[in-house]
Amino acid sequence: MILEGLNPPQREAVEHEGGPLLVLAGAGSGKTRVLTRRVAWLIGVRGVHPGSILAVTFTNKAAGEMKERISSLVGGTGLNVWIGTFHAIGARILRREADRIGIARDFSIFDRADSISALKRVLADLRVSPKEHPPERFLSVITRAKNDLETPDDLEREAEGPWDRLVVRVFRAYDESLRAQGALDFDDLLVLPVQLLRDEDTRLRYGSLFAHVLVDEYQDTNRCQYEFLHAVARDHRRLFVVGDDDQSIYRWRGADLSNILDFESDFPDASTIRLEQNYRSTKTILLAANSVIRHNEGRKGKELWTENDTGEPVLVLEVPDEQAEAMAVLKIITAAVEEEDRSPDEFVVLYRTNAQSRVLENTFQLGGLAYQVVGGQRFYERREIKDVIAYLRLLANPNDDVAVRRVINVPPRGLGRKTLEDLEADRAGGGGSLLGAMRRAAVGEGAPLRPTARAKVRDFLEVVDRAASRMEGDSVAEVTERILTDVEYAVYLERESEREASTRWENVLELLAAMQEFADSPDREDTGVVAFLEEVSLLTDLDEYEEEAPKVTLMTLHNAKGLEFPWVIITGIEEGLFPHANSAYEPEGLEEERRLFYVGLTRAHLRVVLLHAGRRRRFGGYGDCMPSRFLEEIDPDHVECRTLGFPARRRSEGGEAASGVPWRRSACPSGAASGGGVRRVAVEDAPDYLPSYEEENQDGDVVRPGVRVRHPSWGEGVVETVEGSGERLKLTIRFRGGVRKKILARYVKLERLP
């Protein structure tokens, strides 16, 4: 059963006898299947104890899927495997070893926002102006140093000027602040385990514990992760890594491509297996992707192939501007949904930068097309969610001053600036926590507070203590409900903003639902506050991706890695945007941009549409755009080019079109001028999935102000205003309850009412 359905290279990897193994797994080649079957093979056939297997992934979602698949193959024993992200594994090790390195076992985990908040306090204590030296700048330097395994002492030895010396001071004070609060940041979860493993006895102990080490996405590992893996596998050398050098796109996060390129150098006795059969995409998509990635020099080399159908050519669309680009995307998706019975969740729209989503979102809203943005404001970064989480954090760790500062006046308790300054002064002078300073003030000691302020501090402490008293026996959901009731959080949201209160309270209810789901998990022993906090603190953007949501997905190309969709639409494929101007003139950066393009292409099952605009708004004005060099690198035999929204007749190279848009070099790959298998047509020859819609339900009788209509989702309403004409005809409709919606008439089926 474990080997069932595996192709020969996959089977060879699963049955590998021992020693270092590099599995070069191309996009869509079944790498997750190989990893999970390998773990199942070790347990079910080789008789390896599950607790001696370490399997590391890069998202909690992937870890959960691996655990489920392994359990389905070998039963409940598979749950004993150490499976998780590097950060989750690091946190688990640090909980076990906390006493040895002088940290609290119940340490908090600070996210980026918490780290920024802690740095602001550090800068205030050091009398450093946050305007002159923003905390984000310090955090960037500290993160880079930690991931390079550099300490403040290391930076001090290398310091050459005032800025370097200031960084050292802030770095030291920041780390001291974290330790005083019983907290670690995300980087500490990687750095501290590596430091632990530098002790030979500790390294031997964990090397013995982790008798088999398996790693997913090895090409994305940084120096810390590399050092950790090599430390635990140094003696037994049973290191099984899966990765794809052609999908290494996180250099800006510290990922080191040389880790996978130099694997055979690091382990001269290593074996390499290539997984090149793709089960996802059509032949045409793979041939197009292969033709692009071949232009990179820093790669080990492989050629993806498939037994799938040939499929349609990659469609390259040239449009006048970003507005026309968004309209073209809307047309493609709407037509495919209505005419080909596609579901909206079969489509993903990818872009190089988050800022590109704005026009797409506006157009989709007007067109009534449901969508979700992945990688925008994450659920756990919303203000109301962070408020609730902060209450839980201070229950789990009373020394967490960042959490206390966040909720001390949420809801407002009338604790003024002077009171807070007095409490902070007592905290700093006494060397304890802010919550400790509040407890001293509540009994008339410490900060000299007025009676009214002291009473308000006591009220806050009563809320905390009542919730803390329930932590022992209650689930995290029950503890949270107690807090929300005590502080009347729903009333607070209503008072703060009637317009947003409903949505924000729905988010809180969604958080409670997530807590209940956490508590109901059958394989989870601990359903308390600390366990839940650790789970949510390790979430990533991809963990929040709702795979089954019936909506079009919008995301950056970086966030798309590891996902797949029937239709992939990539926008903004222009020089300076993709490849991005920050990387286009540096060889390593350009190659990473090309890998990013390759990742985008290989997300698709059936269709790929690539769009580029003739001009794009920048800094309040428009600038002309040149098609990306990546478009010219695609083999012309696998591409079809179309020009939308430009006049059919244009002058020769360098001339002016009738619309005033300059004629640019061809958007098509090389060979377009002589045919080369590429067709270049004008907008009047648009294909079926770019139709020129008939004016259904859009005659003058329907769109006149005052006409009553019925919308399929929003019900009955009255047309208030009419703007524009043709494709850009916009209607403002007032629906029941006073709700007003502005829509693009062409994309919404409106029924006229008598």
Side-chain angles (χ1 to χ4, degrees), residues 119-323:
L119 275 168
K120 287 179 179 177
R121 180 61 51 182
V122 165
L123 296 182
D125 290 345
L126 295 178
R127 301 186 183 278
V128 175
S129 168
K131 292 184 178 180
E132 184 178 355
H133 299 296
E136 293 82 1
R137 186 182 180 194
F138 287 106
L139 184 60
S140 176
V141 175
I142 292 170
T143 292
R144 186 167 61 248
K146 286 187 175 184
N147 280 301
D148 288 340
L149 296 173
E150 292 185 312
T151 66
D153 289 343
D154 295 326
L155 295 188
E156 187 172 35
R157 283 190 291 270
E158 301 166 2
E160 296 181 353
W163 163 250
D164 292 343
R165 288 189 286 274
L166 178 59
V167 167
V168 172
R169 289 177 60 210
V170 172
F171 192 169
R172 279 206 178 98
Y174 168 71
D175 268 356
E176 289 169 1
S177 171
L178 292 186
R179 301 303 175 266
Q181 298 180 66
L184 303 178
D185 64 19
F186 252 48
D187 301 312
D188 290 330
L189 301 182
L190 301 179
V191 173
L192 294 180
V194 172
Q195 292 178 352
L196 270 168
L197 293 172
R198 287 175 174 169
D199 174 74
E200 187 65 9
D201 290 339
T202 305
R203 188 190 67 78
L204 290 172
R205 181 156 48 90
Y206 278 96
S208 176
L209 173 61
F210 301 137
H212 290 267
V213 180
L214 299 90
V215 189
D216 192 11
E217 307 286 7
Y218 187 67
Q219 77 282 349
D220 292 332
T221 53
N222 61 24
R223 183 182 173 188
C224 263
Q225 293 154 347
Y226 173 92
E227 294 281 353
F228 173 81
L229 294 170
H230 283 244
V232 295
R234 183 184 306 167
D235 296 323
H236 59 66
R237 304 176 74 76
R238 289 186 287 270
L239 181 60
F240 184 103
V241 305
V242 181
D244 183 3
D245 51 320
D246 290 333
Q247 295 188 73
S248 177
I249 58 173
Y250 295 124
R251 188 170 63 122
W252 50 280
R253 289 184 183 173
D256 189 347
L257 179 61
S258 66
N259 289 349
I260 191 169
L261 294 181
D262 297 341
F263 188 82
E264 291 94 342
S265 300
D266 293 335
F267 296 97
D269 56 333
S271 303
T272 300
I273 296 174
R274 284 174 165 77
L275 304 184
E276 297 175 301
Q277 182 175 359
N278 176 283
Y279 294 91
R280 175 189 301 160
S281 308
T282 65
K283 288 183 173 70
T284 298
I285 291 172
L286 293 184
L287 289 168
N290 286 338
S291 65
V292 172
I293 201 62
R294 272 191 222 109
H295 288 77
N296 271 5
E297 295 181 2
R299 62 190 296 257
K300 301 183 82 68
K302 61 184 173 303
E303 289 284 313
L304 294 183
W305 61 276
T306 185
E307 294 178 349
N308 294 340
D309 293 339
T310 300
E312 297 292 323
V314 172
L315 179 63
V316 177
L317 295 178
E318 181 182 20
V319 295
D321 54 35
E322 69 266 34
Q323 298 288 343

Side-chain angles (χ1 to χ4, degrees), residues 16-61:
H16 180 67
E17 281 302 314
L21 178 67
L22 168 62
V23 180
L24 277 177
S29 63
K31 70 178 179 65
T32 304
R33 173 187 292 185
V34 168
L35 272 169
T36 54
R37 300 291 183 92
R38 172 64 176 176
V39 175
W41 178 264
L42 290 174
I43 297 171
V45 178
R46 299 270 295 277
V48 176
H49 189 281
S52 66
I53 299 173
L54 171 65
V56 191
T57 70
F58 271 81
T59 69
N60 290 291
K61 181 182 174 115

Side-chain angles (χ1 to χ4, degrees), residues 613-647:
R615 61 177 190 161
R616 195 171 292 271
R617 187 181 294 277
R618 298 187 184 94
F619 306 110
Y622 277 100
D624 289 338
C625 304
M626 297 289 286
S628 170
R629 70 192 75 188
F630 298 153
L631 295 175
E632 293 190 334
E633 293 174 356
I634 304 176
D635 186 330
D637 289 338
H638 313 304
V639 176
E640 180 177 326
C641 292
R642 297 184 181 275
T643 303
L644 303 179
F646 289 103

Side-chain angles (χ1 to χ4, degrees), residues 87-99 101-110 178-179 181-186 188-189 192-193 196 393 396-400 529-531 533-534 537-538:
H87 292 94
I89 296 296
R92 187 174 172 184
I93 291 173
L94 292 174
R95 300 276 183 206
R96 293 165 56 121
E97 306 289 341
D99 296 340
I101 55 176
I103 61 174
R105 194 175 297 275
D106 58 351
F107 58 80
S108 298
I109 300 174
F110 276 17
L178 292 186
R179 301 303 175 266
Q181 298 180 66
L184 303 178
D185 64 19
F186 252 48
D188 290 330
L189 301 182
L192 294 180
L196 270 168
R393 279 176 38 186
N397 176 12
N399 292 324
D400 190 338
V529 169
V530 174
L533 288 175
E534 182 157 319
S537 69
L538 298 170

Side-chain angles (χ1 to χ4, degrees), residues 331 642-648 681-687 690 692 727:
K331 271 189 174 184
R642 297 184 181 275
T643 303
L644 303 179
F646 289 103
V681 297
V683 66
E684 56 266 27
D685 300 313
L690 289 175
S692 55
E727 291 184 354

Side-chain angles (χ1 to χ4, degrees), residues 646-652 654-664:
F646 289 103
R649 293 183 180 178
R650 301 204 232 186
R651 295 184 186 175
S652 60
E656 288 289 321
S659 64
V661 180
W663 175 252
R664 291 163 305 283

Side-chain angles (χ1 to χ4, degrees), residues 419-491:
T419 298
L420 297 179
E421 288 177 348
D422 289 342
L423 289 169
E424 289 283 2
D426 183 53
R427 174 200 66 82
S433 68
L434 184 54
L435 199 66
M438 296 178 74
R439 293 194 184 281
R440 289 193 294 274
V443 296
E445 301 173 0
L449 304 186
R450 297 190 305 275
T452 54
R454 188 178 301 118
K456 290 169 184 175
V457 167
R458 279 199 295 266
D459 289 343
F460 176 79
L461 292 174
E462 286 175 7
V463 170
V464 173
D465 292 341
R466 273 197 299 271
S469 69
R470 304 185 58 161
M471 283 180 63
E472 191 67 30
D474 289 359
S475 71
V476 62
E478 293 167 327
V479 173
T480 303
E481 287 176 353
R482 176 75 267 168
I483 295 171
L484 294 172
T485 301
D486 282 354
V487 302
E488 297 183 333
Y489 195 76
V491 176

